[in-house]
């Protein structure tokens, strides 16, 4: 197994030959190799040397370091420069990153689900209009009653599949208002009727 500390010490002089600037050289001198894991070589910079981290993260310097490390290790290596010089600093950064990734993923899933549900509500809203439009003898109360039964079932099914956040509630209300206008029943009563339905 490659000793990442030895690899870094052996690489520094060659890297210095390919870069210029006192700041870059200083950063290379104070950088501490922390670990090599999953193709990522982690260099740490003390919190007392905050400007050094920036010198090592410029695209040209990063590319040179990665090429030198990759050559010595024998496989492609990505460089990660962190604030802190211990493995505990790196573990804390990974935990924060994992938590951020988890929250980002959850937010994306919620947004995706919300878009999917909005589409479902829109489809139901349009379907209610089409179903009522197809009815014959709309003036008859029994015809409107049958429409109410069918529409209530459809609303109950869509509601059961939704997260029922604020957007869902607004879309649900819009469908209730449409049923109300078609059946001439107050929207609150339509809502009560739907809420009693089992999808």
């Amino acid at each position: 197994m490659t000793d990442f500390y030895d690899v870094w010490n052996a690489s520094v002089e060659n890297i210095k030959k390919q870069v210029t600037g006192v700041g870059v050289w200083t950063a290379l001198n104070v950088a501490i190799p922390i670990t090599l894991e999953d193709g990522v070589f982690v260099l740490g910079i003390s919190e007392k040397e905050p400007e050094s981290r920036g010198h090592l993260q410029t695209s040209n310097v990063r590319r040179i370091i990665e090429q030198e490390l990759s050559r010595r290790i024998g496989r492609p290596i990505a460089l990660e420069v962190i604030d802190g010089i211990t493995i505990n600093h790196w573990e804390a950064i990974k935990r924060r990153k994992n938590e951020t990734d988890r929250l980002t993923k959850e937010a994306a899933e919620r947004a995706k689900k919300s878009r999917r549900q909005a589409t479902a509500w829109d489809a139901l809203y349009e379907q209610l209009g089409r179903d009522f439009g197809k009815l014959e003898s709309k003036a008859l109360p029994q015809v409107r009653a049958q429409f109410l039964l069918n529409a209530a079932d459809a609303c109950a099914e869509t509601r059961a599949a939704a997260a029922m956040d604020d957007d869902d509630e607004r879309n649900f209300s819009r469908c209730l208002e449409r049923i109300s206008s078609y059946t001439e029943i107050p929207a609150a009563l339509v809502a009560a009727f739907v809420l009693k339905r089992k999808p």
Side-chain angles (χ1 to χ4, degrees):
M1 182 177 178
T2 304
D3 188 310
F4 65 88
Y5 203 91
D6 290 343
V7 167
W8 176 248
N9 287 336
S11 300
V12 170
E13 290 307 314
N14 271 355
I15 294 170
K16 284 182 178 179
K17 293 175 184 178
Q18 303 175 66
V19 299
T20 57
V22 175
V24 178
W25 278 44
T26 300
L28 290 168
N29 287 333
V30 300
I32 303 295
I34 294 176
T35 188
L36 171 62
E37 60 179 54
D38 299 327
V40 177
F41 197 102
V42 183
L43 282 180
I45 298 293
S46 170
E47 294 175 357
K48 298 177 183 178
E49 305 276 352
E51 69 283 351
S52 292
R53 183 166 175 254
H55 287 300
L56 298 182
Q57 289 183 310
T58 61
S59 58
N60 184 54
V61 174
R62 173 185 290 275
R63 177 180 56 79
I64 291 170
I65 295 174
E66 289 178 342
Q67 287 177 345
E68 182 66 24
L69 293 174
S70 297
R71 184 179 68 80
R72 291 183 179 276
I73 293 171
R75 64 180 188 277
I77 295 297
L79 177 68
E80 182 82 24
V81 185
I82 68 169
D83 291 322
I85 57 175
T86 70
I87 192 68
N88 288 337
H89 289 121
W90 173 236
E91 293 297 335
I93 288 170
K94 285 196 297 182
R95 284 194 298 272
R96 288 197 298 271
K97 183 179 183 300
N98 289 338
E99 179 65 8
T100 298
D101 290 346
R102 183 185 68 80
L103 293 174
T104 300
K105 183 179 179 181
E106 288 180 356
E109 289 174 350
R110 283 196 301 272
K112 183 178 179 181
K113 185 174 183 180
S114 179
R115 288 193 299 271
R116 189 167 58 243
Q117 281 306 129
T119 300
W121 285 116
D122 287 342
L124 175 60
Y125 186 82
E126 296 302 325
Q127 187 63 48
L128 291 171
R130 286 193 296 271
D131 289 348
F132 191 76
K134 293 176 184 177
L135 293 178
E136 297 180 1
S137 304
K138 296 181 179 65
L140 296 177
Q142 61 268 34
V143 172
R144 291 200 301 272
Q146 187 59 57
F147 170 79
L148 173 62
L149 293 174
N150 295 339
D153 286 341
C155 276
E157 289 175 6
T158 302
R159 192 173 191 278
M164 294 315 293
D165 56 16
D166 289 343
D167 288 336
D168 284 309
E169 292 292 356
R170 282 191 290 270
N171 283 312
F172 177 42
S173 177
R174 194 164 66 107
C175 290
L176 294 174
E177 292 288 351
R178 172 158 276 199
I179 297 170
S180 171
S181 69
Y182 290 152
T183 58
E184 299 178 0
I185 297 173
L189 289 180
V190 175
F193 191 75
V194 172
L195 293 174
K196 290 181 179 179
R197 310 290 283 184
K198 297 290 185 180

